[in-house]
Amino acid sequence: MTVRPTADFDTAIDAAVSIGRITKKFGDVVAVDNISLDIVDGEFFALLGPSGCGKTTTLRMIAGLEFPTEGSLKIFGEEVGMLPPNKRPVNTVFQNYALFPHMSVIQNVGFGLKMNGVAKSEVADRAAEALEMVRLGGLANRRPSQLSGGQQQRVALARALVNRPKVLLLDEPLGALDLKLRQEMQEELKGLQRELGITFVFVTHDQEEALTMSDRIGIMHEGKLLQVGSPEQIYEKPSNRFVADFIGNTNLLEGTVQDAETVCLANGARISVASDHPAGTAVAVSLRPERAVIGKHESSGNGQTSVNGVIRSVTYLGNAVVYQVELDWMTLEAREENRTSVTRREPGQRVSISWNPQDVAVVAE
Amino acid sequence: MSSPVLPRGSAKLGLTVNAWLIYLFFYAPILLLVVFSFSADKNVGRWGGFTFDWYREFGQNDGVQSALGVSIRVALVSTLVAVVLGTMAALSLERFTFRGKKVFDALLYLPIIIPDVTMAVMMLLFFAQFFDLLDAWFGLSLSKGFGSIVISHIAFSISFVSVVVRARLAGMDDTLEEASMDLYASRWQAFRYVTLPLIFPGVAGGALLALTLSLDDVVITQFVAGPGSTTLPVFVFSLIRRGVTPLINAVSVIMLAISIVLVALSLFADRSKRASAKVSN
Amino acid sequence: MTQVLSHPEEVTPEFEKDAARAQSRRGFLMALPTFVYLGLFFVLPFLIVIVYSFATRNRFGGTDLSGWNFEAYRKLGDSVVRDILFRSIWLALITTIICLVLAYPFAYFIATRRPAVRNLMLVFVMIPFWSNFLVRNYAWRVLLGNDGPVSQLSEVLGLGETRVLFTPVAVVLGLVYGFLPFMILPLYAAIERIDLRLMEASRDLYASGWQSFRRVLLPLSMPGVIAGSILVFVPSLGAYVTPEILGGAKTTLLGSYIVTQFLTARNWPVGASLSFVLMAVMLAATLVYFRKGGRTL
Ligand SMILES: Nc1ncnc2c1ncn2[C@@H]1O[C@H](COP(=O)(O)OP(=O)(O)OP(=O)(O)O)[C@@H](O)[C@H]1O
Ligand SMILES: [Mg+2]
């Protein structure tokens, strides 16, 4: 299945990167499988997915470090699929930074300008300026090996940005940093991106990072692009089962589509929920734990937006309480904010779980 | 693999052609030599029909046979001593600190990098002086021969053995020795049952290197050999200088075969070295 | 009452020091045999060479150790010796450069192959590396000889008669053939260690293929270049077997000249002083290498 972004802009004109039906094979391994995607000029775009799903390969194709097996790749409307990396107006922040160990920090930062034939004095000025921008002005003459991880990360960033690329590619740039530094750098990166207005394509397998930082997210799985959308769209309306399960926690209630308004669950209950899948499709209804409302047993009664069960366990998380609720055919997770107004339930209590129809999503395979 | 950053087009072609040409350069002369060793033509570089004559002559020529015997004896004795000394040196450098260790380390490097002509001169002058002194002080008249060759070969082999064994020791986890001592092994038992088996591939590799070096050497041996005892390479070298004959072809091929057997063995030792390194990690 | 096995006294700093001393003694004893051996059969001979280089040759071709002088070193300025010295340096230099030019792309090629292919390619470099040096030079004597395969080939190709044997060209050929593996292996080791993502990073930063090589690969592989060059240059300078087998009367090189001084001309002081010079060149080269940050040869 190919997913086109459902955005309301004119892709042909505004696309910074336009990927058309690209496939990449390494021998028998299909690393990237027929992906189409437009990345808008000026946006912060995250590619998210489990390990080995093809994120790095996609990014490397944009950078020119890997040639696609087939497909089209445009940067600002210009076909670049077969251009070597030095002929592309994009720069990369490598996963382990790839700083040149035999050059000083300032030489590293000035390298791209020098290769582009920029005059010596200008190289020096712009490199120094870029170092200031990442707040490393004082370390210009150090060797990369004399820097901390976070500092190396910033040098890598400066080395890429100093060339004023049209698109900046970042491959898990924060992966090697510890949690605290990571959060600091997330903000710093986001701020820089806003300030410079450069398109960022960011690869990560950390969903929280993707959700907090990006304008749009593309979810990849086994070489395929499953869904593209804003963080809200991805979280609230996952388009398929993998996405629903991969992003956050969710309960998947198995069933089949009966008609446009109704899904028949595995236990026979019919619940009313809108879906555009044809009747008879095997689907699951995704219900986020925090959207499950715990109420009195059989209280709402109609069975269309609720199910009945027994509380099996209670987990106290401080800011919230999580309940495992056993139905006669599956176990659901429900989560309640730990407010004083909310009454705590006990294991063994019979309860009902209900939801607002707009809070659930129907996902197919 | 086609990658945008690896050389492409003519550069890639150039690299590939260069590689094949270098292999051709390495192997064509050797293979042709093997072919010509079976040629009946008296002229060494011409094909004159197939024959085993030169190998038969190899078996019957007394000079060749006695030189071969000396070579083998020299190689075995010098390797044995060099392996023992070299392994001890390696252990002392990798597992202990003691005064003079730096000097010892540097000294061990020298025989590896010294040009062999210099080493040959050193040994020649040393033995000349040494035998003079023995004569003057004790009235002993000794002369160069088997003993002086073996002593010289040991002197340059120790260092190579110790380098190979050290590499092995450095890659080995020394907590294994501690673990064995924790399990009541004495120092000697820890060495005998844990360290030695683990470094054995390194010791074997060092021994093969020492054998090869001993069987290869011409220059040093020529300087310290006596009238009754020449090694095969020195003998062949003097034959070549008198003029090439098909016999030399045959002897050369046999020396080459010995080298290749030793390479094969050392590659094998290297493989088991890597395999057991994997286990110990 | 339970039996106490021993009565451990408190550990004192003395005890710890003693243990450390015992450990150090053990290491020293282990090194001692080799130390003594090399002292006797390596260092002592080396000192004797130095002594001889200051001695005088007497009328009977013997050497007088009394009356030290610099005569032997002064003789190094003689035009004969000087020519030989310059010729040796020149040929060793050419050999080194040819080896470098051939070996660098080759080592890079190997280092960028798949691991299986890479190991196979290395094995086929190791075989000549380990093979008998004399025999490998002799093979060229056969190839280049009168009516040998090379001259037959050049006749077939219509190039006319080629006379390569007994010229400096043959000597360089033999040296390159003999020492090329000594260049390939350290170069390979150096290039293989380099993170090839650095090449990608430089291409990403607008360097062309050639610029990536010049600015990133070459500087990072410099330890290998230097190590390989030393390993080829020093033995080429002192080469004896190759010029004897492939060179002619007019291509006497340093190694052969030294040998002649000992085995035929019987001028031991001059031979000793030349060996010492050779040794000094080698030491200087090694020091340069370690200064430049090389660690293993
Ligand atoms: N050079 C290559 N040769 C062969 N297979 C490759 C190569 N590069 C990647 N692959 C394969 O392609 C698939 C996708 O790899 P890729 O590196 O794009 O994953 P990823 O999403 O970046 O994973 P991670 O999060 O672990 O970095 C994997 O199955 C991988 O094994
Ligand atoms: Mg990756």
Side-chain angles (χ1 to χ4, degrees):
Chain A
M1 188 171 67
T2 320
V3 183
R4 280 247 152 207
T6 52
D8 44 5
F9 43 73
D10 186 356
T11 53
I13 291 171
D14 277 319
V17 179
S18 174
I19 297 174
R21 312 184 65 79
I22 274 200
T23 296
K24 174 68 186 176
K25 292 182 188 157
F26 293 106
D28 292 339
V29 183
V30 183
V32 171
D33 193 357
N34 196 14
I35 281 185
S36 295
L37 168 69
D38 287 322
I39 296 169
V40 188
D41 188 16
E43 82 174 326
F44 197 119
F45 189 92
L47 271 176
L48 178 63
S51 185
C53 69
K55 308 178 296 283
T56 296
T57 307
T58 307
L59 202 71
R60 287 169 60 85
M61 286 192 289
I62 303 175
L65 298 169
E66 215 77 73
F67 288 133
T69 309
E70 56 188 305
S72 126
L73 182 64
K74 293 190 175 117
I75 294 177
F76 287 96
E78 203 182 320
E79 181 65 47
V80 296
M82 300 308 275
L83 282 184
N86 51 325
K87 301 274 165 61
R88 299 188 186 199
V90 300
N91 287 107
T92 308
V93 175
F94 288 80
Q95 183 160 10
N96 295 315
Y97 318 139
L99 297 178
F100 303 123
H102 59 302
M103 299 178 192
S104 66
V105 165
I106 193 86
Q107 283 171 327
N108 262 284
V109 175
F111 187 86
L113 297 174
K114 188 166 160 188
M115 291 299 114
N116 261 340
V118 174
K120 257 206 180 116
S121 57
E122 196 189 334
V123 171
D125 289 350
R126 278 172 64 182
E129 199 177 295
L131 271 185
E132 286 299 334
M133 181 179 73
V134 295
R135 297 184 284 118
L136 285 181
L139 303 181
N141 292 317
R142 293 238 192 130
R143 289 286 161 125
S145 58
Q146 298 167 322
L147 300 179
S148 72
Q151 290 168 335
Q152 292 182 16
Q153 214 284 325
R154 279 189 229 157
V155 174
L157 196 59
R159 186 177 73 171
L161 285 174
V162 74
N163 305 294
R164 297 175 190 151
K166 290 186 171 161
V167 180
L168 185 72
L169 309 171
L170 307 101
D171 190 359
E172 305 203 24
L174 309 179
L177 306 180
D178 62 43
L179 187 67
K180 185 109 177 41
L181 200 54
R182 214 178 151 107
Q183 286 166 347
E184 252 175 66
M185 284 305 297
Q186 284 178 5
E187 266 169 50
E188 208 169 313
L189 265 183
K190 187 68 194 147
L192 263 175
Q193 194 261 343
R194 246 182 249 126
E195 197 178 311
L196 299 170
I198 293 178
T199 313
F200 276 33
V201 183
F202 187 95
V203 162
T204 178
H205 59 233
D206 179 341
Q207 46 167 303
E208 211 170 296
E209 196 167 276
L211 289 173
T212 54
M213 294 176 79
S214 20
D215 299 323
R216 284 196 306 151
I217 301 175
I219 307 282
M220 288 188 70
H221 178 49
E222 291 180 346
K224 297 197 176 67
L225 187 61
L226 297 184
Q227 186 175 7
V228 177
S230 66
E232 285 90 341
Q233 284 171 335
I234 298 270
Y235 190 79
E236 306 281 345
K237 295 284 170 229
S239 68
N240 71 31
R241 196 188 175 93
F242 176 83
V243 176
D245 205 27
F246 183 71
I247 304 286
N249 280 339
T250 196
N251 298 295
L252 292 170
L253 293 77
E254 308 291 340
T256 38
V257 175
Q258 198 163 39
D259 57 50
E261 246 86 80
T262 319
V263 169
C264 179
L265 294 186
N267 67 340
R270 291 182 168 70
I271 62 170
S272 45
V273 54
S275 78
D276 46 13
H277 298 285
T281 316
V283 293
V285 175
S286 163
L287 170 64
R288 300 278 178 198
E290 71 273 16
R291 299 289 167 80
V293 181
I294 304 180
K296 264 209 217 97
H297 191 60
E298 301 255 304
S299 63
S300 56
N302 64 7
Q304 292 186 351
T305 55
S306 73
V307 289
N308 289 319
V310 181
I311 294 190
R312 272 291 150 244
S313 71
V314 181
T315 311
Y316 179 71
L317 295 181
N319 60 351
V321 180
V322 171
Y323 300 98
Q324 299 294 331
V325 180
E326 193 171 295
L327 314 182
D328 42 8
W329 50 291
M330 70 176 291
T331 304
L332 281 184
E333 190 177 305
R335 183 184 170 107
E336 276 186 334
E337 289 298 305
N338 191 9
R339 285 197 213 95
T340 43
S341 59
V342 177
T343 44
R344 288 272 287 283
R345 327 262 162 186
E346 300 299 328
Q349 216 175 325
R350 293 169 65 78
V351 293
S352 80
I353 302 285
S354 59
W355 55 85
N356 283 324
Q358 68 270 25
D359 279 348
V360 293
V362 175
V363 294
E365 275 313 313
Chain B
M1 261 195 309
S2 120
S3 158
V5 287
L6 290 180
R8 281 185 298 157
S10 59
K12 185 180 174 185
L13 185 71
L15 283 176
T16 315
V17 170
N18 178 57
W20 283 110
L21 285 180
I22 283 177
Y23 283 121
L24 186 71
F25 177 58
F26 275 149
Y27 287 96
I30 295 178
L31 292 178
L32 282 172
L33 183 65
V34 173
V35 169
F36 285 125
S37 74
F38 293 105
S39 160
D41 199 310
K42 276 232 156 37
N43 210 320
V44 291
R46 255 205 315 239
W47 183 251
F50 185 86
T51 180
F52 268 126
D53 282 358
W54 316 121
Y55 288 93
R56 210 164 290 131
E57 197 181 331
F58 169 85
Q60 288 156 358
N61 187 307
D62 288 340
V64 172
Q65 286 304 314
S66 87
L68 181 62
V70 172
S71 261
I72 291 175
R73 268 178 290 142
V74 166
L76 291 179
V77 175
S78 64
T79 298
L80 192 68
V81 179
V83 163
V84 172
L85 291 181
T87 304
M88 283 169 71
L91 279 167
S92 74
L93 286 171
E94 282 296 318
R95 287 288 187 267
F96 296 93
T97 49
F98 52 92
R99 209 183 297 165
K101 184 173 162 174
K102 282 229 172 81
V103 178
F104 185 52
D105 196 1
L107 176 62
L108 263 177
Y109 254 104
L110 284 179
I112 297 180
I113 47 185
I114 200 167
D116 46 7
V117 171
T118 307
M119 180 97 179
V121 169
M122 281 163 47
M123 298 321 283
L124 172 75
L125 295 185
F126 170 76
F127 283 116
Q129 206 61 41
F130 182 61
F131 291 141
D132 276 359
L133 285 184
L134 282 187
D135 197 14
W137 292 353
F138 307 108
L140 276 174
S141 76
L142 293 179
S143 65
K144 295 184 291 184
F146 182 78
S148 53
I149 300 176
V150 168
I151 287 176
S152 310
H153 283 205
I154 295 170
F156 64 69
S157 295
I158 293 177
S159 305
F160 287 93
V161 174
S162 102
V163 165
V164 177
V165 176
R166 272 183 85 174
R168 175 71 185 164
L169 271 172
M172 192 185 122
D173 189 356
D174 58 359
T175 54
L176 292 175
E177 285 153 35
E178 288 168 5
S180 71
M181 307 231 310
D182 180 59
L183 297 167
Y184 317 112
S186 67
R187 250 169 231 293
W188 165 250
Q189 285 170 322
F191 173 74
R192 170 69 187 74
Y193 295 107
V194 177
T195 315
L196 192 59
L198 280 171
I199 61 172
F200 184 73
V203 175
L208 289 164
L209 186 56
L211 277 178
T212 307
L213 291 170
S214 172
L215 289 173
D216 259 18
D217 182 67
V218 177
V219 187
I220 297 168
T221 310
Q222 196 189 7
F223 271 55
V224 296
S229 58
T230 24
T231 60
L232 192 57
V234 174
F235 185 74
V236 169
F237 185 57
S238 63
L239 284 185
I240 295 174
R241 289 212 288 182
R242 260 181 271 145
V244 292
T245 60
L247 171 65
I248 303 179
N249 285 1
V251 180
S252 297
V253 170
I254 288 186
M255 287 164 75
L256 206 58
I258 296 175
S259 296
I260 287 176
V261 169
L262 290 176
V263 194
L265 286 175
S266 79
L267 287 173
F268 185 73
D270 192 50
R271 173 152 307 171
S272 64
K273 184 160 53 179
R274 254 184 263 142
S276 59
K278 236 179 252 161
V279 173
S280 67
N281 283 339
Chain C
M1 214 178 88
T2 52
Q3 183 107 36
V4 178
L5 286 174
S6 61
H7 302 272
E9 291 164 32
E10 262 182 47
V11 176
T12 59
E14 291 312 310
F15 176 79
E16 194 200 357
K17 253 186 228 151
D18 283 348
R21 238 177 265 139
Q23 186 73 353
S24 146
R25 197 164 50 235
R26 247 174 245 125
F28 182 75
L29 285 177
M30 208 170 271
L32 193 62
T34 308
F35 219 169
V36 170
Y37 192 98
L38 289 181
L40 208 55
F41 299 118
F42 188 83
V43 177
L44 190 59
F46 182 65
L47 296 178
I48 293 177
V49 170
I50 296 180
V51 169
Y52 265 80
S53 73
F54 291 109
T56 320
R57 175 182 187 243
N58 65 26
R59 266 172 297 153
F60 318 107
T63 307
D64 290 334
L65 291 180
S66 54
W68 289 20
N69 58 62
F70 288 95
E71 200 47 46
Y73 286 95
R74 223 166 278 139
K75 272 209 80 168
L76 302 188
D78 276 10
S79 65
V80 184
V81 183
R82 220 179 41 215
D83 284 355
I84 288 173
L85 218 49
F86 282 145
R87 189 188 300 139
S88 301
I89 292 174
W90 175 233
L91 289 188
L93 207 59
I94 293 180
T95 304
T96 309
I97 291 169
I98 294 177
C99 283
L100 193 56
V101 169
L102 289 176
Y104 200 101
F106 184 64
Y108 176 76
F109 187 73
I110 299 182
T112 51
R113 295 305 95 185
R114 280 184 288 125
V117 178
R118 190 189 300 177
N119 287 338
L120 194 68
M121 290 185 81
L122 280 176
V123 164
F124 282 97
V125 177
M126 293 309 282
I127 290 173
F129 181 76
W130 281 68
S131 294
N132 194 297
F133 187 80
L134 174 67
V135 169
R136 298 204 306 127
N137 267 302
Y138 172 72
W140 278 102
R141 172 73 169 262
V142 172
L143 290 190
L144 297 176
N146 272 344
D147 300 331
V150 169
S151 69
Q152 281 169 19
L153 186 72
S154 81
E155 255 165 57
V156 170
L157 295 177
L159 295 175
E161 205 172 333
T162 45
R163 278 242 133 270
V164 176
L165 196 58
F166 306 134
T167 66
V169 177
V171 175
V172 171
L173 187 65
L175 291 175
V176 169
Y177 188 66
F179 296 132
L180 189 55
F182 289 76
M183 186 66 94
I184 293 174
L185 294 174
L187 274 178
Y188 166 77
I191 295 175
E192 195 256 356
R193 253 201 306 268
I194 299 173
D195 185 352
L196 288 179
R197 274 175 310 186
L198 294 174
M199 297 286 281
E200 296 185 343
S202 73
R203 295 301 297 274
D204 182 62
L205 296 165
Y206 311 109
S208 65
W210 166 252
Q211 283 170 317
S212 296
F213 165 73
R214 256 290 281 119
R215 307 270 173 193
V216 178
L217 193 65
L218 188 60
L220 286 175
S221 57
M222 221 46 197
V225 173
I226 295 175
S229 300
I230 291 175
L231 288 180
V232 173
F233 184 80
V234 173
S236 297
L237 193 59
Y240 166 61
V241 170
T242 309
E244 285 298 310
I245 292 182
L246 297 173
K250 288 208 198 82
T251 50
T252 306
L253 296 185
L254 194 53
S256 324
Y257 188 72
I258 292 175
V259 173
T260 322
Q261 294 312 305
F262 283 97
L263 297 191
T264 44
R266 293 197 75 80
N267 193 339
W268 290 17
V270 169
S273 65
L274 272 171
S275 323
F276 183 69
V277 168
L278 195 56
M279 175 86 181
V281 170
M282 179 280 294
L283 275 181
T286 332
L287 281 182
V288 166
Y289 173 67
F290 283 110
R291 278 278 158 74
K292 289 260 173 183
R295 261 163 291 130
T296 50
L297 268 181

